[in-house]
Amino acid sequence: MSGARGVTPGGMKPHLSFWQIVNMNIGFFGIQFSFGLQQSSMSPIYKYLGADEASLPYLWLAGPMTGLLVQPLIGAMSDRTVTRWGRRTPYFLIGAILCSLGLLAMPFSPTLWMAASLLWILDAANNVTMEPYRAFVSDKLAPRQHSLGFLTQSAFTGLGQTLAYLTPSLLVWLGMNKDAVNASHIPHIVIVAFLIGAVFSISSVLWTLKTTPEHPLTAQELAEIRSRPAGWRHTLGDIVSAVREMPATMKQLAWVKLFQWYAMFCYWQYIMLSLSTTLYGTTDPASQGFRDAGLLTGQVGAFYNFIAFIGALALVPFTRRYGPKLTHSVCLMLAGFAMLSIPMIHSPALLFVPMVGIGLAWASIMGNPYVMLAGCIPPQRTGVYMGIFNMFIVIPMIIQIFTLPLYYRSLLGGNPENVIRLAGGLMLCGAVAVLFVKLKKPQAEGLRLEETEATGAA
C-alpha cells in the first residue's frame, strides 16, 4: 500500500492520495464522536443528577484540566518515543481503549460525583489519543498536503459530532421511547448513544492503525531521539524550552483561541438550557419540555456538525485563494452573528439557519489554526508544539469555568440566553483578532500551491 511508504532517502515524504488521507483520519471520527456525546449530553446528565445551573461550568472542568496536563506531556513523550509500532501509535491505542471504557460507564452513573469523576477519565483518555493524532498528520504529510490533511481531519470532526448529536433522535425515530428513563432519570436513548460511542471510539482508531502505518524513522531521526537525555524531568524540560522559544505566529494565535474557545464552551454548556427557556419555558429537568429541548439540541447540533463536515472540504478553495487567516476571520464572524440571533428565535425550524454559520466556524476552528501553525514550528518538535497549541484551547475553557459563575447571576441575570449572546460577542472579537496574526510569507504563498496539488490529487 502506497500509504505505508516511508520518507525517501532525500527526505521527501510521499504524496498521499485523497483516500489515503481519509483512511488516516478515520480514527478522528471516533474521538470526535466521544467529544460530541460530551457536548450534547453532559449538561443534561448533570441536571438529571441534581446539579445547580450556575455551577455547571465547574462540572466541565475535567476536559480543560486534563487537556492542560496531558496534551503537552503526551506530545513531548511521543516526540521521544521509539517502538516497533511507531512514535504515535501506542498513544492512539491506549487512549482509545480507555475512552471506550469511560463511555461504557458514564450513562450508568448513579450520582453527580461519579459522573464528574468519569468525565475526568474520559477526557484524559481522549486527550491521550487526540494530541499525537494531530502530530501524526504532520508526520505523514508533506507540507504541500498539510491543509488538506488538517481540513479532512476537521471534516471527520463534523461527521463524528453530527452522528453523536443525532443518535438520540435517530433512536427515537427507530422506535425507542424518548421518555423512558433509568433510576437516575437519564433517558435510555442517551445510555444507548454512549454505548454506540464506545464501539466507534475503539473501532475507528483500529481502522486507522491498520490502514495507515507511521513512516519509519530515518537513521538521523533515530540518532537524534536517542541522543536526548531520558527521564520525565527532561521531557518537562522540552515543554519549558518549547514555550520559551515559541514562534510569534503561535503567540498571536493564542489570542484568537482565547476568544473562540471561551465562546464555544459557553455555547456547549448553555445551549440546551437556552433553548429550553426560549422554546419551552422551563429548565425543570423532570419536565417533558426539558427532554424535548434535549432532543432539539441534538438535532441542531447534528446539523451544524454536518455543515462542518461538508464545509471543511468546501473551505479548501477559499483557504487556497484567500489564505487561512481571512477565511477563519469570516467564519468566526458568521458564528458570532449566528449565536447573537439564537435567543431571538422562537421556532425550532428557524434554528437551523444560524447553525449554518456555527457549522462553518466549527469547520474552520478545527482546521485553519492548525494550517497556520504547521508552517511556523520545527518538524522535529511537532508533538510538543501541537500539545502546547492545544493548551491554548483548554486555558480559555478553564478561565471560562472559573469566571462565568462569578457573573452568571449578577451580569447575565441568571439567564442562559445571555450566555449564548456573550458567546456571540466573543466570536466577533476572535474574528477581529485573527486579522492581526502574521504568517510567514513562504507559508502564505505555499498554501496556494499546496491546495492546488492536493485538490488535484483528490
Side-chain angles (χ1 to χ4, degrees):
M1 178 166 49
S2 58
R5 291 177 299 173
V7 179
T8 65
M12 297 292 292
K13 296 175 183 176
H15 185 93
L16 301 190
S17 72
F18 175 74
W19 291 111
Q20 288 170 330
I21 293 174
V22 166
N23 278 333
M24 179 173 62
N25 283 299
I26 280 177
F28 218 67
F29 167 81
I31 298 170
Q32 294 301 327
F33 193 99
S34 173
F35 277 120
L37 287 174
Q38 294 175 48
Q39 292 162 16
S40 62
S41 300
M42 285 316 300
S43 281
I45 286 174
Y46 285 149
K47 285 284 286 182
Y48 293 135
L49 295 173
D52 174 65
E53 193 173 298
S55 301
L56 279 178
Y58 295 133
L59 294 169
W60 283 67
L61 184 60
M65 280 303 296
T66 54
L68 181 66
L69 299 172
V70 170
Q71 292 211 22
L73 184 60
I74 293 296
M77 288 172 61
S78 70
D79 282 343
R80 291 166 162 265
T81 297
V82 178
T83 72
R84 58 180 293 190
W85 302 283
R87 287 195 292 175
R88 320 296 182 186
T89 297
Y91 300 97
F92 294 174
L93 191 56
I94 293 169
I97 292 170
L98 293 175
C99 179
S100 293
L101 294 174
L103 289 169
L104 286 172
M106 177 64 76
F108 298 103
S109 302
T111 60
L112 186 60
W113 70 264
M114 181 173 286
S117 300
L118 282 170
L119 187 61
W120 280 84
I121 296 171
L122 181 57
D123 270 314
N126 269 328
N127 281 302
V128 167
T129 305
M130 187 170 69
E131 193 289 324
Y133 217 120
R134 296 286 193 191
F136 177 58
V137 171
S138 186
D139 291 344
K140 286 286 291 186
L141 296 177
R144 66 183 181 275
Q145 291 193 295
H146 276 168
S147 49
L148 182 62
F150 284 118
L151 287 170
T152 303
Q153 197 172 82
S154 178
F156 276 106
T157 297
L159 180 61
Q161 295 194 10
T162 294
L163 292 178
Y165 274 88
L166 198 57
T167 296
S169 294
L170 290 173
L171 293 171
V172 172
W173 295 335
L174 290 173
M176 285 190 69
N177 181 0
K178 68 182 177 67
D179 295 318
V181 298
N182 68 5
S184 301
H185 306 291
I186 299 173
H188 290 171
I189 54 175
V190 172
I191 294 173
V192 175
F194 272 80
L195 299 182
I196 292 170
V199 174
F200 282 155
S201 178
I202 186 65
S203 60
S204 64
V205 168
L206 288 174
W207 178 273
T208 288
L209 296 181
K210 179 177 173 59
T211 60
T212 317
E214 294 186 53
H215 290 319
L217 295 171
T218 64
Q220 181 179 351
E221 288 171 330
L222 279 170
E224 197 275 331
I225 291 172
R226 287 171 175 157
S227 70
R228 298 180 190 177
W232 65 270
R233 285 193 181 93
H234 296 291
T235 301
L236 291 178
D238 281 352
I239 298 171
V240 173
S241 66
V243 170
R244 191 180 298 122
E245 299 161 12
M246 188 185 304
T249 299
M250 195 168 168
K251 295 177 184 177
Q252 293 156 0
L253 283 168
W255 289 101
V256 181
K257 292 169 83 78
L258 172 63
F259 291 122
Q260 71 188 26
W261 286 104
Y262 194 115
M264 289 307 300
F265 229 40
C266 286
Y267 177 85
W268 291 329
Q269 289 169 2
Y270 284 90
I271 183 60
M272 179 187 171
L273 297 177
S274 176
L275 297 183
S276 181
T277 302
T278 305
L279 297 173
Y280 301 99
T282 182
T283 56
D284 177 9
S287 66
Q288 181 178 340
F290 191 84
R291 291 191 294 272
D292 288 342
L295 282 175
L296 179 61
T297 300
Q299 291 161 13
V300 297
F303 182 74
Y304 90 67
N305 277 288
F306 179 73
I307 294 296
F309 170 57
I310 301 298
L313 296 178
L315 287 175
V316 169
F318 292 95
T319 300
R320 179 187 70 224
R321 181 164 184 176
Y322 301 107
K325 184 168 77 171
L326 183 59
T327 303
H328 194 51
S329 179
V330 171
C331 289
L332 292 183
M333 181 184 66
L334 291 173
F337 288 125
M339 290 179 180
L340 288 171
S341 72
I342 287 173
M344 297 185 288
I345 295 173
H346 298 277
S347 165
L350 289 178
L351 278 173
F352 290 89
V353 176
M355 293 302 136
V356 174
I358 294 173
L360 289 173
W362 187 228
S364 187
I365 285 170
M366 297 302 290
N368 277 317
Y370 294 93
V371 176
M372 290 184 264
L373 174 70
C376 75
I377 56 177
Q380 70 273 18
R381 304 181 82 180
T382 298
V384 68
Y385 271 120
M386 285 292 179
I388 293 169
F389 197 57
N390 283 323
M391 289 170 64
F392 297 162
I393 297 174
V394 300
I395 289 173
M397 292 178 176
I398 292 170
I399 294 171
Q400 188 265 2
I401 283 169
F402 286 106
T403 57
L404 186 65
L406 299 178
Y407 61 84
Y408 177 70
R409 300 197 190 281
S410 58
L411 296 181
L412 301 179
N415 187 346
E417 296 174 20
N418 288 334
V419 181
I420 304 303
R421 292 187 179 99
L422 171 65
L426 290 170
M427 279 293 193
L428 294 178
C429 292
V432 174
V434 74
L435 296 176
F436 291 92
V437 175
K438 294 180 181 177
L439 302 180
K440 291 182 180 179
K441 272 193 174 183
Q443 179 198 23
E445 292 166 0
L447 276 170
R448 294 173 175 81
L449 175 61
E450 161 190 337
E451 290 302 338
T452 301
E453 293 179 1
T455 307

